[in-house]
Amino acid sequence: MNQELRELYQEVIIDHGRRPRNFKVLEGHTHSQTGYNPLCGDRLQLFLQIRPGPRPVIEEASFQGEGCAISMASASLLTECLKGKTPAEAKALFQQFHQLLTGDDASNREGLGKLQVLAGVRAFPTRIKCATLAWHALLGALDQGETKPDDPVSTE
Ligand code: ZN
């Protein structure tokens, strides 16, 4: 990665960390899940509004919480990219994102879009849990299908 691109990526993370998008409680959400990363102290709650039907679609996504810039930026970018996706597509995206951060082969970036800015976290194993916290909350929300705010998922 060239220096210019690296700086651009850092800028996006700092921007989203300082001014997270979709940072609110989602009125009328159908799914929600809290997540906690004890290693860093990041804590957030993810909200989804999923339109039911033969082909369910995530219509809205938001989150609230507090934590380091990486965790907030990752959650912000996640909520931006979820809209219009089916739950199955969202899960597939998680697999691809997880591969980008921890896998042997980080070259498959098609479809990741802006999420690629977090690829640099690969070099910092202790921060990977910060970057994936919102995603674990996403999986929890999709799997449980109901609000369980007192039962946070952990990245452990
Ligand atoms: Zn963190």
Side-chain angles (χ1 to χ4, degrees), residues 11 22-23 27-28 34 39 43 56 59 68 75 94 107 130-131 143:
E11 249 173 59
N22 306 305
F23 191 82
E27 296 292 334
T34 55
L39 285 180
R43 195 182 287 275
E59 292 193 312
C68 67
F94 170 78
S107 61
C130 302
D143 286 344

Side-chain angles (χ1 to χ4, degrees), residues 55-58 82 84-91 142:
R55 187 177 181 275
V57 170
I58 299 170
L82 282 179
K85 289 197 164 45
T86 67
E89 287 168 346
K91 285 183 185 179
L142 291 175

Side-chain angles (χ1 to χ4, degrees), residues 37 39-42 67-71 126-127 129-131:
N37 173 16
L39 285 180
C40 183
D42 311 314
C68 67
I70 298 283
S71 66
T126 57
R127 309 308 299 278
K129 289 179 191 298
C130 302

Side-chain angles (χ1 to χ4, degrees), residues 1-154:
M1 196 188 300
N2 66 43
Q3 182 69 21
E4 206 170 308
L5 200 57
R6 200 185 297 270
E7 283 171 9
L8 174 70
Y9 281 8
Q10 260 165 14
E11 249 173 59
V12 174
I13 291 171
I14 290 166
D15 176 39
H16 277 261
R18 282 189 185 148
R19 298 187 303 117
R21 317 301 196 271
N22 306 305
F23 191 82
K24 62 185 179 186
V25 175
L26 188 61
E27 296 292 334
H29 65 265
T30 56
H31 296 64
S32 99
Q33 175 68 58
T34 55
Y36 176 53
N37 173 16
L39 285 180
C40 183
D42 311 314
R43 195 182 287 275
L44 58 81
Q45 186 169 11
L46 186 77
F47 302 94
L48 301 174
Q49 188 182 330
I50 300 182
R51 189 180 67 211
R55 187 177 181 275
V57 170
I58 299 170
E59 292 193 312
E60 291 289 342
S62 75
F63 80 105
Q64 268 201 332
E66 53 187 351
C68 67
I70 298 283
S71 66
M72 294 295 107
S74 181
S76 174
L77 290 161
L78 171 64
T79 57
E80 276 198 328
C81 77
L82 282 179
K83 289 178 197 178
K85 289 197 164 45
T86 67
E89 287 168 346
K91 285 183 185 179
L93 193 63
F94 170 78
Q95 294 304 331
Q96 201 184 354
F97 181 69
H98 203 259
Q99 184 74 15
L100 177 72
L101 263 52
T102 65
D104 298 330
D105 180 12
S107 61
N108 176 21
R109 299 188 174 192
E110 201 179 333
L112 283 173
K114 265 199 224 172
L115 295 170
Q116 292 178 57
V117 301
L118 290 157
V121 173
R122 274 179 78 86
F124 306 95
T126 57
R127 309 308 299 278
I128 289 171
K129 289 179 191 298
C130 302
T132 56
L133 179 61
W135 292 78
H136 285 286
L138 167 70
L139 289 195
L142 291 175
D143 286 344
Q144 289 179 9
E146 60 188 67
T147 301
K148 279 190 183 173
D150 297 327
D151 186 18
V153 294
S154 169

